[in-house]
Structure formats: C-alpha cells, structure tokens
Amino acid sequence: VAAPECLQPQHHKPLPHSRSMTDSIKIPRDYAYVVLSVGSTWVANYFLIGLVAKARKEYGVKYPNLYADERHGDSELRDKFNSVQRGHQNFLETWPSSCVLMSLNGLVFPRACAVMGGLISVGRVIYGIGYKMYGPKGRMPGAIIAHLGDFPLVFLTFYTGYKLLKGKQ
C-alpha cells in the first residue's frame, strides 16, 4: 500500500529568484555595534530591576506580588511602588521585539540600528526614573527618547525586507 500523496516526497523546482542553501548572509564588521547595543538593553534591564528591588524593600511588597494592592499601605504608597514596577514592566513588554528588530535590521544597517538601540536603552532608563519620581506623567521624556529608537526600527524592517527582496543589501 502506497503512502498518501501528501506524504510522498516532493520534488519542487526552485523559484526563479530563490536563493540556494549555499547562499550566505555576510555579517558586516560594524555589526559589533549592534551586539553592543543589544548588550546595553541588558544594562538598562538590570538598572530597572534594581529600582524595583529597592522599591520592594521600601514599600514592603514581597514576592510573588507583582504589584502593590490594598494590603500594602495607603493608595499613595501603592501608587509609588506600582509606578516603579510599571516602568520596568513596560520595558519588558517591548524588549524582545526591539532586540529582534535591532538584530535583523542590523545585518543591513548596523550603525543606524546600534544608535536606535542606544536610544531605546537610554530612553527606558530615563522612563523608569521619571515614572519612579513623578508617577505616570514623569515617563514622557524617556518614552519620547525610546520611541525615537523603536519606531524607526519598525519602519526600517520593511525597508530592510524590500532591500533584501531586491538583492540590494
């Protein structure tokens, strides 16, 4: 009994513009800047972790509680802790995609992506400090700086894809 057709080996002809498995991606020398920029996001993360750890001690919020609730003092104290925590959580929400976009786009535009990653890291640190000191209103300066890095990365992704499709990398 023969296997169903869908399980039979497929013999496809290569598409006219497809690349073979022997084609390779050349990593530009300047890609080292991208790697350092991705590393800077870890520095920003550890800094924000430090702010949260200090706030946990200061406001008595123990693990596994992610945020302070009515058990953790009055609403003003809860808001102060939750602002510190929110500054870090917001970073964590955007961190993976930012690193992926830096890494992919950096193969074609390494220096630009390194700068954008640096803006993200610096912006997120300022965001966390502002959120800690002034609550939600204090996050805006850092958000603006971080978005000067992450929004262009998103748009650059489409341009990078276009350049790769056209073979102009």
Side-chain angles (χ1 to χ4, degrees):
V1 176
E5 187 177 327
C6 64
L7 297 178
Q8 296 292 328
Q10 301 294 311
H11 302 286
H12 297 287
K13 293 181 181 176
L15 296 172
H17 298 291
S18 66
R19 295 177 181 210
S20 73
M21 293 298 284
T22 59
D23 285 347
S24 62
I25 296 173
K26 293 181 181 157
I27 297 176
R29 181 171 177 82
D30 288 347
Y31 195 77
Y33 296 120
V34 176
V35 173
L36 292 170
S37 187
V38 170
S40 77
T41 67
W42 279 93
V43 174
N45 181 49
Y46 287 134
F47 177 82
L48 296 170
I49 287 171
L51 291 181
V52 173
K54 186 176 177 185
R56 281 190 180 282
K57 288 179 186 174
E58 185 177 345
Y59 300 111
V61 180
K62 307 258 187 260
Y63 286 106
N65 298 307
L66 189 58
Y67 291 100
D69 57 26
E70 58 278 344
R71 298 172 293 167
H72 300 104
D74 64 32
S75 64
E76 185 178 334
L77 294 177
R78 289 194 310 262
D79 287 348
K80 286 184 179 184
F81 173 79
N82 290 342
S83 289
V84 175
Q85 180 69 309
R86 192 66 208 121
H88 184 231
Q89 289 299 310
N90 188 270
F91 170 78
L92 294 176
E93 291 164 7
T94 60
W95 188 22
S97 55
S98 296
C99 288
V100 168
L101 294 180
M102 276 188 276
S103 300
L104 291 174
N105 290 314
L107 291 169
V108 180
F109 301 101
R111 288 184 181 213
C113 289
V115 169
M116 291 175 208
L119 287 168
I120 291 168
S121 296
V122 169
R124 288 299 169 180
V125 166
I126 293 169
Y127 182 99
I129 292 169
Y131 218 145
K132 174 185 184 274
M133 294 176 67
Y134 306 109
K137 292 179 183 175
R139 64 195 167 124
M140 293 313 294
I144 291 168
I145 295 168
H147 290 321
L148 288 173
D150 61 19
F151 287 164
L153 272 175
V154 172
F155 297 120
L156 188 60
T157 302
F158 295 99
Y159 185 63
T160 298
Y162 170 79
K163 283 191 67 138
L164 291 171
L165 281 172
K166 293 296 183 182
K168 298 177 183 176
Q169 74 279 8

